[in-house]
Amino acid sequence: MTRVALLPAAALLLAAGLGSIFAFNNATTSTSSTSSTSSTTTTTVPRERAQPSWAVASSSARGVMVDYKNEIVGPAAFRVLRLRARTTLLRWHVGLIDPPAKSGEVPADAGPAIFWPSEGLAGVVAVFNGAFKKAANSGGAVVDGVVLEPLVVGDMTIAINAHGHWSMGVWGSSTFPAKDFHAIAYRQNLRPLVQNSRLSASANPTNWAQWGSPLNHNPLTPRTGLGVDANGNLIFVATMSHVDIAQLGEALVGAGVVSGMELDMNPYWPILGASKTALHAPGGVFAVQLPLSEHSPSIYETGWLRDFFVALAEPNSWSCDWTSPGVRSSITAVQPQRLHLTGPGCRSTTTTTTTTTTGTTGTSSTTTTTGSGATTTTGAG
């Protein structure tokens, strides 16, 4: 196991090449009116809105957090899950056996199960599988400053910073990572599958051996992929149909991906789940799943063999954000990245639950509050 200090990104830039950056801040729009006697400025933040052909999985006061649809490529149906960049954040976790790590080298917040003491504060809204195992030699992996596998120049990379914002590009290119994007986690998996909204020339069915080792050397197998669209949203696609690498790439492009990569493949590994409300404790329901998947996404609550991603809800208030300490070069010990709220007047709070019962019919409502104004209410008749 090797540990490195993750310095500002400018110090990490390597050879020239192509890369794409998608790290978006919460946008605001302002209107102002001025007269000879007064000046007034009003600032509003537009909510993330539902869009045609996409079904909403979860929403908050900021608008849509996660939505989904099906993308048809030939005879195969892909489940497409989209995380909105302005309303969600992302964490990456190491599996029980892969990527391999020594005991105590990876903190609990990045371990093989959802870390409810931290991630539960924000609320889990989606989970999905990671990439190839270490033995596949498909690229590097870094979590909370721990280098599990060295990063490889030329490989497509997703980077995640302390705010849970993501960025995707080709490692070592002149534009990736950006100078102001200080990542705490990286995950690579092979060369780019999609660049500039186009399928890579190497994503040819005749080159199937370059895109993973399928069972019985049959390139038609269940596959998953990950990418970002022109608005910086993160898009995960998965199918249990037997498809080749070109069909996976076409599904990413069809879903609006500008830059994309392959994730895991073969029948045992594709897993997807999205909840209807932010989950603050284990036992919740992931209502949106991958049809015919061999595993329930709840497997990530108890501990899973391979790496995976967890999507969380940003707080309701646009002035607040979830963040973690970030990796500091002056510290040589393991650096846990537990979440806390940041922003004017924002503070993290413990989860509290109150239950009220009204009338003679037994109608009840339960309200769970976490962070700054992040409230979920459910009713039962």
Side-chain angles (χ1 to χ4, degrees):
M1 184 73 62
T2 306
R3 177 178 297 279
V4 297
L6 297 184
L7 300 176
L12 297 176
L13 294 180
L14 302 176
L18 292 176
S20 299
I21 287 294
F22 296 90
F24 283 69
N25 296 323
N26 298 331
T28 62
T29 60
S30 299
T31 60
S32 61
S33 59
T34 304
S35 68
S36 59
T37 58
S38 65
S39 175
T40 302
T41 300
T42 302
T43 301
T44 60
V45 181
R47 299 174 76 250
E48 283 290 316
R49 300 187 180 279
Q51 295 179 345
S53 79
W54 291 86
V56 175
S58 59
S59 296
S60 69
R62 294 190 182 198
V64 176
M65 293 188 290
V66 180
D67 49 9
Y68 64 100
K69 68 174 183 176
N70 287 335
E71 185 72 27
I72 306 301
V73 178
F78 288 80
R79 177 55 55 92
V80 181
L81 195 74
R82 180 169 63 175
L83 308 181
R84 300 291 186 94
R86 299 168 65 239
T87 55
T88 63
L89 61 148
L90 192 68
R91 303 297 291 263
W92 180 64
H93 285 250
V94 177
L96 283 167
I97 63 173
D98 214 279
K102 296 179 181 179
S103 177
E105 287 292 326
V106 176
D109 66 274
I114 296 170
F115 190 61
W116 294 105
S118 175
E119 294 170 328
L121 291 176
V124 175
V125 292
V127 290
F128 53 89
N129 62 264
F132 288 175
K133 59 187 178 181
K134 175 186 175 181
N137 295 318
S138 61
V142 178
V143 66
D144 288 6
V146 179
V147 179
L148 304 172
E149 283 295 306
L151 298 176
V152 177
V153 174
D155 278 3
M156 189 61 103
T157 308
I158 179 169
I160 305 170
N161 69 10
H163 293 282
H165 299 161
W166 52 79
S167 175
M168 183 174 286
V170 178
W171 182 253
S173 70
S174 60
T175 57
F176 182 86
K179 294 180 180 180
D180 59 350
F181 193 91
H182 308 303
I184 62 172
Y186 299 89
R187 186 61 161 114
Q188 296 182 313
N189 206 52
L190 303 175
R191 301 296 178 174
L193 179 55
V194 174
Q195 282 187 293
N196 300 318
S197 302
R198 295 182 179 180
L199 191 63
S200 168
S202 62
N204 188 306
T206 60
N207 297 330
W208 61 266
Q210 299 180 19
W211 296 95
S213 178
L215 296 176
N216 302 317
H217 302 286
N218 183 355
L220 301 179
T221 187
R223 295 178 186 268
T224 63
L226 188 66
V228 290
D229 66 16
N231 294 315
N233 302 313
L234 193 68
I235 295 180
F236 173 81
V237 304
T239 183
M240 293 304 294
S241 297
H242 289 70
V243 298
D244 60 33
I245 188 61
Q247 290 171 303
L248 175 64
E250 290 171 9
L252 286 166
V253 172
V257 164
V258 175
S259 294
M261 61 195 292
E262 184 180 22
L263 289 181
D264 220 339
M265 58 184 282
N266 291 328
Y268 198 68
W269 306 116
I271 307 173
L272 173 156
S275 57
K276 291 294 185 179
T277 60
L279 304 178
H280 302 288
V285 176
F286 293 98
V288 180
Q289 299 189 19
L290 173 63
L292 302 179
S293 174
E294 296 192 9
H295 307 284
S296 165
S298 61
I299 196 84
Y300 296 132
E301 295 187 346
T302 56
W304 183 231
L305 302 175
R306 302 277 284 275
D307 68 289
F308 61 97
F309 294 88
V310 178
L312 308 173
E314 287 283 18
N316 283 339
S317 172
W318 288 101
S319 65
C320 302
D321 290 288
W322 290 105
T323 190
S324 56
V327 175
R328 289 179 288 173
S329 59
S330 59
I331 298 177
T332 57
V334 170
Q335 301 180 48
Q337 297 296 309
R338 295 187 65 152
L339 294 172
H340 63 274
L341 280 173
T342 183
C346 303
R347 62 186 181 89
S348 301
T349 62
T350 57
T351 301
T352 60
T353 302
T354 59
T355 302
T356 59
T357 302
T358 61
T360 59
T361 60
T363 301
S364 64
S365 65
T366 301
T367 301
T368 303
T369 303
T370 59
S372 177
T375 304
T376 302
T377 303
T378 59

